[in-house]
Amino acid sequence: MNWRIIRALVSKDYSLFFRNRFYSIVTVLGIVFYIAVYFWMPKSVDESLSIGFYTPVPFPTIEQADEEGLEIHFADSQEELKDAVIEGDYIAGIAFPADMKETLMAGGKPKVTAYFTSDVPLEYKDAIELLIKELIYERTGQELDIAVKEEILGPDMLGMQIPPRDRIRPMLAVLLLIFETFGLASLVTEEVERRTIQALLVTPVSITGFFISKGITGVSLAFIQAVLFMGVTGGMNNQPLIIITTLFLGAVMVTGIGFIIAALSKDFMSVLAWGMVTLIPMFIPSFGVMFPGAVTGWIKYIPSYYLIDTVHRVANFGAGWSDIWTNLLVVVILDLVFIWIGIMLLRRKTR
Amino acid sequence: MNIRNTGILLSKEIIQGPKGFIFIWALVMPILISFVFSVVFGTLFSEKPKLGVIDEGDSQLVQSLIEHDSIIYREYDSETELKEAVETGSVNMGIILPDGFDTALRQGNTTELKAYIFGESLAKDRIIVAVVIGDLLREIAGQEAPVEIESIFLGDEESIPWSDRLLPFIVLMAVFLGGVFVPATSFITEKEKRTLDAVIVTPTSIQDVLASKGMFGLILSVFIGIVVLLLNQAFGAHPLLLVMLLILGAIMAVEVGLICGVFFKDFSTLFAVWKSGGILLFGPAIVYMFPQIPQWIGRIFPTYYLINPIVTVTQRGGSWPDIATNVFILIGIDVILVGLILLSLRKTRKLAG
């Protein structure tokens, strides 16, 4: 294997890529757009129910209800309460009657008014109504005699939820990697279709050298973009070395898949067809990160799961080597398998 | 432009087009995505908290939870299954109802309830689940609510469920995949295979070629748009208005496709542009999906003027007066794009010449 030749082949691919001013601009623009999408996404999670109260007479149970997940506010008048609900300051405004204490003491049912905006989700409206009932139950001393034994599974994220932009980040990073697969696959397909590979192989370039050069081109193009994206979006604030290693292994994986697609394709359209079939499933695991519980155990059969899960856990939960080494091991094995299959198929095709 | 020549070329496109991958892709993808979103993600994106239950006895609570509108109920057979569901976030909370739970509750004995909580679940979801369970337990215990609640709704905004928020994305996908890719790839193929040179030495002009490819993309684009709206049960009140909007949107898509076809030399370039430039088309759909993003951002994108009227008609019960301004802007964009195509024709003539 002659590294000087490999270097020449890689620099040839790079110069072909960047000589095309259009490609270079589009590649840069692509990263800029992904970064823009990230920064457009909400940067915080509103996990509290903000409720306004109007209580003409003191109602101590309300202050006691001010717990995690409930934001209690008080209005000076019913009109102020209604205005605040309309303005969206509170999800609901609750007005207690002035004679509530007397009514309760007389065994009657006080009439409480709950104001909602018309776009309030049904589950919130029902929950607020039930909350009012619960407040009155407590006020009248009707407690439920139930001992709840709670156990939180997984890290308790109460008050420090992962914002949507950070949940979408692993998907965007892997998306950048995956799109490069098309580029690499079409680069290799072109070499095969135009028979330039045959021309190259009559020179001192060996078939191994050819694959290594294409591999280096593919890996570096995908890897640099993904690292840049993660760096700008703060995805490397936790454990940068693990993130870089994961993205590198991810770039190797998509390069292997790129080889397989190239071997199965005869032109750009078939690259696209095979690419879609192969790569669309690769996005599915990111839904599991964006919407926890959206996917079940079968997701682990999709290779990109181990990439996305690692990036998510490291960037969003600060996981360390000991937490994710099994994921990386699976990725390394998958890399070797994909690269091997890809090279075998391409060897057969170029024979 | 010769209508007869255009017609002949269009019939050729209609016969040859469906054999290509792009045609199948543009036809199948939006329908597939629409199906997946409506069937699978329609329920997954629900903002209702999910509660998992193991009922070791025969608790009345289970039936009440199934019928309750504020939560999504799921039943599990074993504690291992329940814990796994909570750990992965399939449910926000999991409870185990022991045998004899209801009897103990009715007799006023202290009752133990084991609850697993998903660590990433939102505080408000935990509260909703807790108050729903609490209320139903009080019902079982025979307690009567000591309060009357009158709920009053203020304003006229409506909440947008996830299935509706995804509609703009699906519609854009439907209109633009076929509208952009079919004419663009068809034109690029003609250039690559040099058949374009052969065609234009006949009485057929470049305008005829572009018009036929555009017409084919337009028909496909409008057809998929209608299918997607039908699949999403969004073709209700003003079908003619919606068809008009889809036609105007498809014209925009086809114009973009033709410009791409004229300017790009190969498929790689086209897809490279789609990779980064696609965000310009799908921007309004992303803004619409997340109401937290300032909604004015959507107006920056040309496709906003297609999506906003469609959403107004299908989801907000709007009619012509509500969408007229945006429709005129959409027509304006279509006209500007026609101008760009005419300019690009000069380049095409140079290419052909």
Side-chain angles (χ1 to χ4, degrees):
Chain A
M1 199 157 46
N2 188 330
W3 285 101
R4 199 175 53 81
I5 292 174
I6 289 170
R7 205 170 59 214
L9 287 175
V10 172
S11 58
K12 180 211 81 173
D13 281 339
Y14 260 92
S15 66
L16 277 178
F17 188 87
F18 286 105
R19 193 183 297 161
N20 186 332
R21 201 180 300 164
F22 182 78
Y23 259 133
S24 9
I25 291 170
V26 159
T27 304
V28 174
L29 275 181
I31 303 172
V32 171
F33 279 134
Y34 282 111
I35 292 170
V37 167
Y38 171 84
F39 284 109
W40 270 340
M41 298 291 288
K43 61 178 174 189
S44 61
V45 178
D46 178 17
E47 62 168 336
S48 297
L49 294 172
S50 184
I51 305 170
F53 284 92
Y54 168 63
T55 54
V57 288
F59 196 97
T61 323
I62 295 175
E63 280 104 31
Q64 289 160 18
D66 198 352
E67 57 182 270
E68 194 90 56
L70 276 184
E71 272 180 29
I72 307 283
H73 306 271
F74 289 95
D76 293 330
S77 69
Q78 204 149 332
E79 282 312 306
E80 190 187 310
L81 184 73
K82 282 165 73 175
D83 289 343
V85 172
I86 292 169
E87 290 299 315
D89 296 341
Y90 317 139
I91 194 165
I94 298 162
F96 288 119
D99 62 348
M100 191 170 74
K101 193 176 171 186
E102 292 76 18
T103 312
L104 284 172
M105 284 179 74
K109 289 185 177 184
K111 192 173 175 184
V112 175
T113 310
Y115 296 105
F116 298 97
T117 50
S118 54
D119 63 346
V120 68
L122 177 71
E123 57 271 24
Y124 288 177
K125 176 193 158 277
D126 287 351
I128 301 291
E129 288 176 352
L130 296 179
L131 198 69
I132 297 169
K133 283 188 195 173
E134 198 57 38
L135 286 171
I136 308 291
Y137 274 126
E138 281 183 28
R139 181 80 174 87
T140 53
Q142 298 181 66
E143 305 259 334
L144 261 181
D145 199 6
I146 289 182
V148 180
K149 198 175 148 198
E150 279 184 8
E151 189 183 335
I152 309 279
L153 300 180
D156 192 357
M157 303 300 285
L158 216 56
M160 45 181 184
Q161 297 288 345
I162 301 165
R165 61 163 59 167
D166 290 345
R167 284 196 178 274
I168 206 172
R169 188 168 47 200
M171 186 186 97
L172 294 176
V174 173
L175 205 69
L176 274 167
L177 287 179
I178 287 172
F179 266 119
E180 280 316 312
T181 312
F182 285 100
L184 178 72
S186 80
L187 205 67
V188 177
T189 306
E190 252 179 45
E191 297 264 22
V192 175
E193 285 313 302
R194 292 183 183 173
R195 300 191 172 274
T196 46
I197 186 170
Q198 269 81 5
L200 275 174
L201 293 178
V202 294
T203 69
V205 175
S206 66
I207 188 83
T208 315
F210 173 80
F211 287 128
I212 289 175
S213 70
K214 291 293 172 207
I216 291 172
T217 307
V219 169
S220 54
L221 273 175
F223 175 66
I224 291 167
Q225 291 185 56
V227 166
L228 205 65
F229 170 78
M230 288 299 281
V232 174
T233 57
M236 289 212 261
N237 293 349
N238 289 326
Q239 305 275 14
L241 191 61
I242 304 182
I243 296 284
I244 288 172
T245 309
T246 310
L247 293 178
F248 176 76
L249 293 174
V252 176
M253 185 191 282
V254 296
T255 301
I257 296 172
F259 282 164
I260 297 173
I261 293 171
L264 297 171
S265 310
K266 60 176 175 44
D267 54 22
F268 186 83
M269 293 313 284
S270 46
V271 164
L272 193 69
W274 280 109
M276 289 294 165
V277 173
T278 321
L279 300 175
I280 285 176
M282 302 277 274
F283 293 119
I284 295 173
S286 55
F287 283 101
V289 171
M290 287 195 285
F291 307 99
V295 285
T296 47
W298 57 264
I299 203 94
K300 292 185 180 176
Y301 294 106
I302 300 175
S304 59
Y305 165 80
Y306 299 94
L307 287 176
I308 291 168
D309 185 57
T310 308
V311 174
H312 171 54
R313 281 164 64 190
V314 174
N316 293 331
F317 292 97
W321 289 103
S322 58
D323 304 304
I324 49 87
W325 71 270
T326 45
N327 270 4
L328 291 185
L329 183 67
V330 174
V331 176
V332 169
I333 294 168
L334 288 170
D335 283 357
L336 293 172
V337 170
F338 285 135
I339 291 278
W340 183 77
I341 295 175
I343 290 176
M344 283 301 120
L345 290 174
L346 275 174
R347 264 180 193 275
R348 275 181 57 182
K349 193 175 181 180
T350 51
R351 217 172 266 163
Chain B
M1 199 175 85
N2 184 314
I3 293 173
R4 189 173 165 275
N5 288 346
T6 306
I8 292 167
L9 289 171
L10 177 61
S11 60
K12 187 210 97 182
E13 291 287 336
I14 291 171
I15 294 164
Q16 296 296 325
K19 294 175 187 170
F21 166 72
I22 285 290
F23 178 88
I24 296 163
W25 184 56
L27 187 73
V28 173
M29 278 294 277
I31 294 169
L32 188 72
I33 286 174
S34 173
F35 179 76
V36 169
F37 277 3
S38 58
V39 174
V40 183
F41 295 114
T43 52
L44 290 176
F45 287 165
S46 166
E47 288 176 10
K48 290 181 185 178
K50 300 173 197 82
L51 174 69
V53 176
I54 296 177
D55 184 15
E56 291 176 341
D58 187 20
S59 178
Q60 188 189 321
L61 181 66
V62 170
Q63 193 52 40
S64 306
L65 286 169
I66 291 169
E67 289 166 6
H68 211 285
D69 286 332
S70 301
I71 56 166
I72 295 170
Y73 171 85
R74 283 178 190 161
E75 198 170 316
Y76 294 90
D77 293 328
S78 71
E79 196 169 341
T80 317
E81 275 180 39
L82 180 73
K83 279 181 81 171
E84 196 186 321
V86 177
E87 267 171 346
T88 56
S90 293
V91 291
N92 299 91
M93 192 186 283
I95 56 170
I96 301 172
L97 301 171
D99 194 16
F101 178 79
D102 292 8
T103 314
L105 196 67
R106 286 192 191 105
Q107 289 171 352
N109 299 334
T110 305
T111 321
E112 193 173 282
L113 196 67
K114 202 169 178 185
Y116 293 109
I117 300 168
F118 175 45
E120 289 178 54
S121 61
L122 301 180
K124 56 189 172 191
D125 289 340
R126 298 184 195 188
I127 287 178
I128 292 172
V129 172
V131 292
V132 166
I133 293 173
D135 185 65
L136 296 177
L137 291 181
R138 286 185 190 279
E139 262 179 36
I140 294 170
Q143 293 181 359
E144 195 189 338
V147 64
E148 274 179 30
I149 301 166
E150 185 192 11
S151 293
I152 296 172
F153 293 96
L154 308 169
D156 52 8
E157 293 289 318
E158 280 179 30
S159 87
I160 310 165
W162 262 104
S163 50
D164 286 357
R165 287 191 211 178
L166 288 165
L167 185 70
F169 176 77
I170 298 167
V171 171
L172 280 179
M173 177 81 89
V175 173
F176 277 82
L177 271 189
V180 173
F181 277 95
V182 168
T185 53
S186 175
F187 201 75
I188 290 170
T189 308
E190 300 262 17
K191 284 199 293 189
E192 281 189 336
K193 293 185 176 170
R194 300 199 169 274
T195 46
L196 192 63
D197 300 345
V199 169
I200 57 173
V201 293
T202 69
T204 309
S205 67
I206 281 285
Q207 286 94 322
D208 298 333
V209 176
L210 284 174
S212 64
K213 293 189 188 307
M215 283 295 289
F216 183 52
L218 185 84
I219 294 165
L220 181 69
S221 178
V222 173
F223 171 74
I224 304 168
I226 292 172
V227 170
V228 161
L229 283 180
L230 284 172
L231 278 176
N232 287 276
Q233 294 161 348
F235 210 65
H238 299 283
L240 284 178
L241 210 53
L242 285 171
V243 170
M244 181 196 76
L245 288 169
L246 287 175
I247 291 173
L248 289 172
I251 290 172
M252 189 203 287
V254 162
E255 287 168 340
V256 172
L258 289 176
I259 292 169
C260 291
V262 170
F263 280 102
F264 302 152
K265 64 179 173 51
D266 54 28
F267 294 142
S268 311
T269 315
L270 176 67
F271 280 89
V273 172
W274 182 255
K275 176 183 143 186
S276 50
I279 194 88
L280 284 175
L281 301 176
F282 291 101
I286 295 171
V287 172
Y288 192 73
M289 260 186 241
F290 299 96
Q292 301 98 316
I293 300 174
Q295 295 298 296
W296 62 263
I297 291 177
R299 290 176 184 272
I300 299 169
F301 303 94
T303 45
Y304 171 85
Y305 302 94
L306 165 66
I307 279 310
N308 181 273
I310 287 181
V311 167
T312 306
V313 172
T314 57
Q315 292 176 4
R316 296 172 192 156
S319 55
W320 172 248
D322 306 305
I323 61 168
T325 312
N326 283 338
V327 172
F328 285 124
I329 295 174
L330 179 61
I331 292 170
I333 294 169
D334 285 351
V335 172
I336 291 169
L337 287 171
V338 169
L340 285 175
I341 292 175
L342 291 176
L343 279 175
S344 67
L345 274 177
R346 288 185 190 173
K347 179 184 163 66
T348 317
R349 286 200 191 96
K350 275 183 201 166
L351 279 174

